[in-house]
Amino acid sequence: MIILQNIKKVYHPRRANAFEALKGVSLEIADGELTAVIGRSGAGKSTLLHILACIDRAESGSYTLDGTDVTALSERKRARIRNEKIGTVMQDFALINDFTALENVLLPLEFARTKKAGRRALAMQALASVGMAEYAGKPVNKLSGGQKQRVAIARAIVNEPALILADEPTGALDSKTAQEIMDVFKALHQQGKTVVIVTHDAAIAAQCDRTVEIADGLIVSG
Ligand SMILES: Nc1ncnc2c1ncn2[C@@H]1O[C@H](COP(=O)(O)OP(=O)(O)OP(=O)(O)O)[C@@H](O)[C@H]1O
Ligand SMILES: [Mg+2]
C-alpha cells in the first residue's frame, strides 16, 4: 500500500538554516503490516511519519499510497486522503483537553461525510473498542495518560482508516499501560489494518512484524 521512493525532506529550504532531515528514504510497507520505526532522537522518525500521514510534503521523491502518487496532489485532496484513509496518534495526544472523550472522537466524523445521526454510535463504538466507553462523558483533562492515549487511538480509528500511524504512543506511559496500548495496536493489526509505530521501546518493537531503523535521515536497516 505504501511506496516511498527517494524521499528528501528539507526544513527551511533555500535558507541559511536549511536542514535535510530525510536524505533519500525508500521504503515499502505492505497492506496489513505492523511496522516499528526506531532510531535515535533527531534521526528523522517523526519527519517520516508526518510525510506518511500527508501532514507534511517531501521536497523530492515520490510517495504512492494505494496506487495514488500523493506527492502531486493539492492540499485539499491530501486532506481528504488524510481524513478517509489515515489515522494518526501523536505523542502528545493532540486532544482537545476541555472537550469530553466522546467530543474528541466525534471530531473526525464531523470532517468526514458521515451522516450526523450515525456519528454518536460510531464514536461510542470506537471508544468501546479501546475500553473507554464508560469515560465517554469525561473531559479529557480529567483522564490519566493511558486513558488519554486510548481516546487518541479511538479518534484515530473512528473513520475506519486502513493506515494507522503512531508517534511514540507509549513513550509517556508506564510499562504495564504501554503494553495495554500495544495490545490495542496489535488488535487493530489483527483486524487487517496497516500500522506504523515510532518507538524507542525495544519491547514494543519486538512485537512488530518488522523493524525499520533510521539514522541521520536514512534507513539503515529493515
Ligand atoms: N520544523 C523543523 N524545523 C527545522 N528542523 C526540524 C524541524 N522539525 C525537525 N527538525 C530537525 O529534523 C531532524 C529530525 O527531526 P525528527 O523530529 O524527525 O526526529 P525524531 O527522529 O522524531 O526525533 P525524536 O526521537 O527526538 O522525536 C532533527 O535534527 C530536527 O532538529
Ligand atoms: Mg519524533
Side-chain angles (χ1 to χ4, degrees):
M1 88 173 314
I2 291 172
I3 305 171
L4 295 179
Q5 277 173 325
N6 205 20
I7 289 284
K8 294 183 180 169
K9 172 66 196 175
V10 183
Y11 288 110
H12 314 297
R14 296 172 299 281
R15 301 246 297 268
N17 61 347
F19 181 81
E20 195 175 29
L22 296 178
K23 298 174 179 167
V25 166
S26 299
L27 175 67
E28 287 191 24
I29 298 176
D31 282 333
E33 225 170 7
L34 173 58
T35 304
V37 176
I38 63 165
R40 302 171 80 124
S41 184
K45 305 181 297 295
S46 296
T47 304
L48 176 64
L49 214 68
H50 291 159
I51 302 252
L52 289 174
C54 294
I55 292 169
D56 214 343
R57 214 188 262 274
E59 263 59 49
S60 66
S62 72
Y63 171 16
T64 310
L65 177 61
D66 287 339
T68 303
D69 183 356
V70 294
T71 4
L73 296 180
S74 68
E75 266 323 305
R76 242 188 98 177
K77 289 201 172 127
R78 284 158 57 86
R80 173 165 299 172
I81 287 179
R82 200 153 62 224
N83 192 254
E84 287 176 356
K85 290 197 176 183
I86 306 172
T88 50
V89 183
M90 291 303 159
Q91 186 176 12
D92 61 358
F93 313 125
L95 296 167
I96 301 180
N97 266 313
D98 46 0
F99 277 26
T100 64
L102 179 62
E103 287 164 344
N104 270 281
V105 178
L106 279 168
L107 281 176
L109 296 171
E110 284 157 21
F111 292 113
R113 286 166 292 182
T114 313
K115 285 218 179 70
K116 203 164 180 180
R119 286 179 195 164
R120 200 187 148 86
L122 287 172
M124 282 307 297
Q125 211 179 325
L127 281 167
S129 74
V130 297
M132 285 297 290
E134 62 183 293
Y135 298 94
K138 243 192 164 185
V140 159
N141 57 22
K142 301 259 163 64
L143 300 176
S144 72
Q147 290 171 336
K148 284 183 191 166
Q149 193 59 277
R150 286 170 193 274
V151 175
I153 295 171
R155 186 188 50 186
I157 64 176
V158 71
N159 277 338
E160 302 241 313
L163 174 61
I164 295 158
L165 304 169
D167 199 349
E168 292 278 359
T170 63
L173 308 174
D174 64 81
S175 60
K176 180 171 171 280
T177 313
Q179 186 56 48
E180 287 169 9
I181 295 295
M182 186 57 193
D183 290 340
V184 174
F185 285 111
K186 280 160 69 176
L188 289 164
H189 167 57
Q190 269 148 24
Q191 288 163 30
K193 309 283 189 194
T194 309
V195 183
V196 181
I197 305 177
V198 169
T199 186
H200 278 109
D201 185 342
I204 296 293
Q207 297 174 61
C208 295
D209 297 332
R210 171 181 179 199
T211 299
V212 171
E213 185 179 0
I214 172 160
D216 288 329
L218 283 170
I219 289 178
V220 290
S221 71

